[in-house]
C-alpha cells in the first residue's frame, strides 16, 4: 500500500464513518458525502498521473461533474426538508417509521 | 408534472440503467447508477408533502453512499490490480466492499432499513418504479462481477429472507409489506448468486412480474393499507378473486409461478450440499407466507361488517388501463409449466 493509497483510503473511510455515525444535521451528512467524493477524485487523478494514461485523464473530471450534480441534488433536498420539516436535523425525519 | 419534464426524467431512468447494462468499465457503471438515482429524485418529490421529501432524502443518502462505496471499491481494485474491467477477477477486499455497496443499493439485510421507509413515502407508481426498475442496474453488476465471498452472500441472503419475513409480520401498510416482501425475495436471489447466477436472473424476473402485478392491483384499488383492501370486492370483483392467488404466488405455493424460483433454488442449494441453508430459507419463507395469507384474508376470504355505503359504493368507470395488470396477473399465475423453457432461455 503506497502512501497515496493509504491517504485517500483513510480519507474515504473518515467520510464514510462520519456519514454513518454523526447523525445530527443533514448538512453535515452532505459534507461527509462530498468529502468521500473528493477523496475518490484524488484517487482517480493520482491513478491517471501515476500510470501516465492520457485516455483515463478525463475520468476525474467526469467524477467531479457527477459529484457536483449529486451535491446540488442533496442541497435541493436540504432546502425541501427545511421547508417541510422546519429544520435540517435528521432526528426530525421520523414520519415514516413504525 | 409537465409532460416534457416527465419524459426527460423517465428517459434519464432508462439511460442510467442502459448505461450500467452496457458498460464493462466500473466508472461508467457507476455513472449509470448515479443517473438512475438523480433521475428518480424529482419523481419522488413530485407531491410536495413532508413524507415524500423525507423518503427522497433517505433514498438520496443511502444511494449516494452505496454508489460511493462501489466506486471506492473499484478504485481500490484499480490501485491494487491495475484494471477497471467489471468482468475481470477482482481483489477480495474491494470485492467485499463493492458487494456491500450493491447490497446497500438494493436493500439486502442488514442494510435494508431504508427500503420500507422510502417505499412508504411514495405513491404507488413511483414505488413500482423503485421496486422494479431500480433493481435492474445493481443486479446487472452483481451478475457480472466475480466474487469469491460465498459465505458473505449466503449470510446476506439468509438474513434478508429472515428479516423480510419477520419485519412484515406486524405491518398494516401495503407498501411496507411489499418492501419487506422485496427484501425477502432479494435474499433468495443473493443466496443462489455464487452458485448459479442464471437462477438469480430467473428469480429476479419472476419477482419483477409478481411485484408488478401486485402494485398494479393495489393501484387500481387505490389502496395503501389493509383496511381499504377489505372494500375491494365491491369495486373490482374479478381482481379480488385473483389477488389471493397472486399473493400466494409471491409466497411461492406450488401451482403458481412463484414456486418456480424457490423450487429451483432449493434444489440447487441441496445439490451444493448446503441443506442447512436451504432449510433455513424454506422455513423463513413461511414467515412471508403468513403476511401474504393475511392480506388475502383481509381482501377476499372474509367479509368485513359493512354499512350499505360500503357494500354498494359509488362507482365510476375506471380510466386506468388494465391491460398491463391483466398481462402481469396472468404471467404471475400461470408460468410454472414453462419452467424448462425459462431455465433454457436464461442461461448466463
Amino acid at each position: 500500500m503506497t502512501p497515496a493509497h493509504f491517504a485517500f483510503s483513510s480519507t474515504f473511510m473518515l467520510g464514510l464513518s462520519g456519514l454513518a455515525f454523526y447523525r445530527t444535521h443533514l448538512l453535515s451528512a452532505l459534507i461527509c458525502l462530498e468529502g468521500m467524493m473528493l477523496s475518490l477524485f484524488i484517487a482517480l487523478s493520482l491513478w491517471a498521473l501515476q500510470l501516465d494514461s492520457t485516455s483515463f485523464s478525463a475520468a476525474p473530471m467526469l467524477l467531479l461533474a457527477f459529484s457536483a450534480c449529486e451535491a446540488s441534488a442533496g442541497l435541493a433536498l436540504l432546502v425541501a426538508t427545511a421547508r417541510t420539516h422546519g429544520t435540517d436535523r435528521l432526528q426530525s425525519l421520523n414520519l415514516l417509521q413504525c | 408534472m409537465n409532460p416534457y419534464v416527465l419524459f426527460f426524467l423517465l428517459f434519464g431512468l432508462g439511460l442510467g440503467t442502459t448505461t450500467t447494462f452496457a458498460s464493462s468499465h466500473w466508472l461508467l457503471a457507476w455513472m449509470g447508477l448515479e443517473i438512475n438515482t438523480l433521475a428518480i429524485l424529482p419523481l419522488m418529490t413530485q407531491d410536495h408533502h413532508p413524507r415524500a421529501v423525507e423518503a427522497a432524502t433517505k433514498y438520496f443518502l443511502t444511494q449516494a453512499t452505496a454508489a460511493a462505496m462501489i466506486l471506492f471499491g473499484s478504485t481500490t481494485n484499480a490501485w491494487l490490480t491495475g484494471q477497471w474491467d467489471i468482468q475481470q477477477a477482482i481483489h477480495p477486499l474491494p470485492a467485499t466492499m463493492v458487494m456491500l455497496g450493491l447490497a446497500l443499493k438494493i436493500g439486502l439485510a442488514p442494510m435494508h432499513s431504508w427500503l420500507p421507509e422510502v417505499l412508504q413515502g411514495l405513491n404507488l407508481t413511483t414505488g413500482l418504479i423503485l421496486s422494479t426498475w431500480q433493481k435492474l442496474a445493481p443486479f446487472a453488476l452483481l451478475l457480472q462481477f466475480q466474487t469469491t465471498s460465498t459465505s458473505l452472500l449466503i449470510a446476506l441472503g439468509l438474513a434478508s429472507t429472515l428479516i423480510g419475513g419477520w419485519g412484515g409480520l406486524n405491518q398494516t401498510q401495503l407498501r411496507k409489506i411489499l418492501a419487506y416482501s422485496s427484501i425477502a425475495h432479494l435474499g433468495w436471489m443473493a443466496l443462489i448468486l455464487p452458485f448459479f447466477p442464471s437462477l438469480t436472473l430467473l428469480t429476479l424476473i419472476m419477482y419483477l412480474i409478481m411485484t408488478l402485478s401486485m402494485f398494479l392491483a393495489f393501484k387500481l384499488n387505490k389502496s395503501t393499507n389493509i383496511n381499504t383492501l377489505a372494500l375491494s370486492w365491491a369495486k373490482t370483483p374479478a381482481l379480488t378473486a385473483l389477488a389471493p392467488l397472486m399473493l400466494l404466488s409471491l409466497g411461492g405455493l406450488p401451482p403458481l409461478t412463484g414456486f418456480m424460483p424457490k423450487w429451483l433454488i432449493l434444489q440447487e442449494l441441496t445439490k451444493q450440499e448446503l441443506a442447512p441453508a436451504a432449510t433455513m430459507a424454506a422455513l423463513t419463507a413461511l414467515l412471508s407466507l403468513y403476511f401474504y395469507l393475511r392480506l388475502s384474508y383481509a381482501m377476499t376470504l372474509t367479509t368485513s361488517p359493512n354499512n350499505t355505503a360500503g357494500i354498494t359504493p359509488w362507482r365510476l368507470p375506471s380510466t386506468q388501463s388494465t391491460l398491463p395488470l391483466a398481462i402481469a396477473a396472468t404471467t404471475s399465475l400461470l408460468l410454472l409449466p414453462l419452467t424448462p423453457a425459462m431455465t433454457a432461455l436464461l442461461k448466463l
Side-chain angles (χ1 to χ4, degrees), chain A residues 93 96-97, chain B residues 37 40-41 44 51 54-67 100-122 126-127 129-132 134-135 138 163 175-176 179-180 182-183 186 207:
Chain A
L93 296 178
L96 300 170
Q97 300 168 351
Chain B
T37 308
I40 203 173
L41 283 176
M44 286 176 158
R51 278 171 289 129
E54 182 179 330
T57 309
K58 286 179 176 171
Y59 186 72
F60 170 77
L61 284 179
T62 48
Q63 297 297 306
T65 315
L100 287 177
L102 285 171
L104 177 62
K105 217 163 182 32
I106 56 179
L108 279 174
M111 283 82 80
H112 69 284
S113 52
W114 61 274
L115 185 59
E117 298 188 3
V118 168
L119 210 55
Q120 177 65 25
L122 306 176
T126 320
I129 297 175
L130 180 72
S131 53
T132 55
Q134 295 292 89
K135 308 274 187 221
I163 288 178
R175 284 167 292 186
K176 284 204 173 186
Y180 281 110
S182 155
I183 293 168
L186 292 175
Y207 163 73

Side-chain angles (χ1 to χ4, degrees), chain B residues 157-242:
Chain B
L158 281 181
S160 297
T161 49
L162 183 63
I163 288 178
W166 206 345
L169 285 183
N170 206 15
Q171 297 294 337
T172 55
Q173 300 287 332
L174 293 180
R175 284 167 292 186
K176 284 204 173 186
I177 288 180
L178 284 173
Y180 281 110
S181 128
S182 155
I183 293 168
H185 279 92
L186 292 175
W188 283 85
M189 294 171 212
L191 197 57
I192 200 63
L193 184 62
F195 307 110
F196 203 169
S198 41
L199 262 188
T200 304
L201 189 58
L202 178 79
T203 318
L204 179 66
I205 292 173
M206 293 302 135
Y207 163 73
L208 293 186
I209 293 172
M210 292 186 289
T211 307
L212 180 69
S213 64
M214 276 332 288
F215 264 103
L216 288 177
F218 291 152
K219 190 160 148 19
L220 193 67
N221 276 329
K222 296 191 187 65
S223 48
T224 53
N225 55 23
I226 290 187
N227 289 340
T228 48
L229 272 187
L231 286 180
S232 64
W233 60 272
K235 297 178 197 161
T236 50
L239 179 65
T240 313
L242 277 180

Side-chain angles (χ1 to χ4, degrees), chain A residues 43-95:
Chain A
L44 283 180
S45 34
L46 282 184
W47 196 77
L49 277 179
Q50 278 197 349
L51 296 181
D52 286 335
S53 75
T54 44
S55 63
F56 200 74
S57 56
M61 294 315 290
L62 290 172
L63 175 96
L64 211 57
F66 270 85
S67 75
C69 292
E70 204 179 77
S72 65
L75 286 176
L77 282 172
L78 176 73
V79 173
T81 313
R83 284 172 69 94
T84 52
H85 290 71
T87 171
D88 80 325
R89 285 181 177 271
L90 288 176
Q91 223 175 9
S92 67
L93 296 178
N94 56 6
L95 291 175

Side-chain angles (χ1 to χ4, degrees), chain B residues 154 274 316:
Chain B
I154 292 181
L274 281 170
L316 293 170

Side-chain angles (χ1 to χ4, degrees), chain B residues 79 163 225 321 325:
Chain B
W79 275 76
I163 288 178
N225 55 23
S321 162
L325 173 60

